[in-house]
Amino acid sequence: MSAKKCNFHTHCTFCDGKATAEEMVLSAIEKGFDVLGFSSHCMHPLNPDFYKPFDSVWHIPAENIKAYTQEIQRLKEKYADKLKIYLGFEADYLESDKYGSAIPSKANYTEFNPDYLIGAVHFINTEKGFYTVDNKPEIVKESLLRLYSNSDGQIDGRAAVCDYFAAERAMLKKSDFDIIAHPDLIKLRNGPLNFFNPEESWYKEELKATAKAIAAAGVITEINTGAIGRGNMDDTYPSQYFLELLYNEGVPVCINADAHTTQMLDCAFDRAASMAKKTGYTELVYPENNIVQL
């Protein structure tokens, strides 16, 4: 289906969004969207309370998943003449001997009948424990010192980054989803913390290996503008360099806002589209055969 304006990465108050699902729908209509996909954070089948001692819970509690799916279905029907709405999940990947496994696989989410899944890596599990790569800078720094300190007490940034991309490639190999979320999320806190240099050859090799894994998995990569929208970073995920690697591997892309507020729904879309065109892309590809020409 040919579309004009889409966003498939939308959060609401069922997870850590700041607006209700209906408020997001009304804003999308006002902003001229013709397609909106909801993607609340989910760790099914795990209970997200396991990380409560370290962070506020930002995934849908298991007991609220049914209410979420029912609300999106209600909105689909109510606004059918104004907006095409899709039900999705931003499904987190985690494998832990202590807490269990969450795999972003359509088979695991069958009972909720989603239209699509976004696969995401936020948590990195190590022998010493786990942490969230996009937590507040001070918390990420404490986590890196706790889990990745060298013998001299300095952070081994290379080890941390390599673990992140290894987890992402493991997710791609073991899972079944439609869109990979913010594929270089590990860079989000690198600005204030400076724990790795993205110009070094080892980092570029990690991006190359991950681009090949994304291509092999046959998923769409989003150009995610969420960090720009929240003022956390003046860049998209993926970076321009990473995007060029993805293009060379034949990976389709879409533009997603990772919106947690109504104001963010189309933040920096023009900038992301310019990046895509500069790279060589001529169209954006979304689930359910939605295509936007650039």
Side-chain angles (χ1 to χ4, degrees), residues 44 88-95 102-110 114-120 167-181 213-214 216-220 287:
H44 180 72
F89 294 90
E90 183 176 2
D92 245 303
Y93 169 79
L94 177 72
E95 292 191 274
I103 307 295
S105 168
K106 292 177 182 177
N108 291 343
Y109 281 77
T110 299
D115 297 311
Y116 69 101
L117 289 181
I118 297 178
E168 200 159 68
R169 292 192 293 269
M171 174 184 71
L172 287 159
K173 188 173 182 179
K174 298 176 182 181
S175 305
D176 173 26
F177 54 87
D178 301 281
I179 301 173
I180 184 167
I214 291 171
V219 300
I220 303 163

Side-chain angles (χ1 to χ4, degrees), residues 79-290:
Y79 295 97
D81 61 333
K82 295 182 176 67
L83 186 69
K84 183 70 175 178
I85 297 173
Y86 292 101
L87 167 66
F89 294 90
E90 183 176 2
D92 245 303
Y93 169 79
L94 177 72
E95 292 191 274
S96 166
D97 292 338
K98 183 175 181 180
Y99 300 108
S101 297
I103 307 295
S105 168
K106 292 177 182 177
N108 291 343
Y109 281 77
T110 299
E111 63 185 285
F112 309 119
N113 197 30
D115 297 311
Y116 69 101
L117 289 181
I118 297 178
V121 172
H122 295 91
F123 293 90
I124 301 299
N125 189 45
T126 76
E127 293 181 355
K128 296 180 181 179
F130 70 92
Y131 79 109
T132 315
V133 299
D134 61 339
N135 213 321
K136 296 176 182 178
E138 61 272 19
I139 297 176
V140 172
K141 182 178 181 179
E142 183 279 327
S143 298
L144 292 172
L145 286 168
R146 175 169 53 90
L147 301 173
Y148 291 99
S149 285
N150 287 321
S151 57
D152 61 0
Q154 298 299 307
I155 294 171
D156 185 347
R158 179 173 178 172
V161 170
C162 288
D163 276 359
Y164 168 80
F165 285 115
E168 200 159 68
R169 292 192 293 269
M171 174 184 71
L172 287 159
K173 188 173 182 179
K174 298 176 182 181
S175 305
D176 173 26
F177 54 87
D178 301 281
I179 301 173
I180 184 167
H182 35 61
D184 47 0
L185 181 64
I186 189 68
K187 72 184 181 185
L188 177 63
R189 300 308 183 189
N190 194 46
L193 301 182
N194 193 29
F195 61 96
F196 71 93
N197 180 358
E199 297 303 318
E200 291 188 4
S201 60
W202 66 264
Y203 181 76
K204 293 181 178 182
E205 289 302 316
E206 287 295 318
L207 295 185
K208 290 176 184 177
T210 304
K212 289 182 181 297
I214 291 171
V219 300
I220 303 163
T221 297
E222 64 175 10
I223 304 175
N224 182 311
T225 63
I228 299 172
R230 281 179 274 189
N232 291 327
M233 182 178 67
D234 187 27
D235 198 6
T236 61
Y237 316 100
S239 64
Q240 182 67 54
Y241 176 75
F242 197 179
L243 186 61
E244 290 167 4
L245 295 175
L246 294 164
Y247 177 77
N248 291 338
E249 293 291 338
V251 175
V253 297
C254 65
I255 296 173
N256 278 335
D258 198 348
H260 289 68
T261 66
T262 57
Q263 293 85 355
M264 283 177 61
L265 266 173
D266 57 359
C267 174
F269 269 31
D270 289 345
R271 176 173 170 180
S274 294
M275 284 179 62
K277 286 190 281 190
K278 176 183 176 182
T279 305
Y281 286 101
T282 59
E283 65 181 20
L284 305 174
V285 179
Y286 295 84
E288 300 288 311
N289 298 315
N290 286 282

Side-chain angles (χ1 to χ4, degrees), residues 21-35:
E22 189 155 15
E23 287 170 337
M24 295 301 256
V25 166
L26 292 172
S27 180
I29 294 169
E30 183 181 348
K31 291 176 181 291
F33 281 89
D34 54 353
V35 179

Side-chain angles (χ1 to χ4, degrees), residues 39-99:
S39 56
S40 283
H41 290 289
C42 194
M43 294 198 81
H44 180 72
L46 301 185
N47 182 342
D49 279 349
F50 78 88
Y51 65 81
K52 203 169 187 177
F54 308 98
D55 196 1
S56 58
V57 174
W58 39 276
H59 289 78
I60 310 176
E63 63 271 19
N64 293 347
I65 296 177
K66 184 176 180 181
Y68 166 67
T69 62
Q70 290 175 337
E71 174 63 0
I72 304 308
Q73 185 59 43
R74 183 185 74 84
L75 296 173
K76 281 187 181 190
E77 296 169 4
K78 181 176 179 179
Y79 295 97
D81 61 333
K82 295 182 176 67
L83 186 69
K84 183 70 175 178
I85 297 173
Y86 292 101
L87 167 66
F89 294 90
E90 183 176 2
D92 245 303
Y93 169 79
L94 177 72
E95 292 191 274
S96 166
D97 292 338
K98 183 175 181 180
Y99 300 108

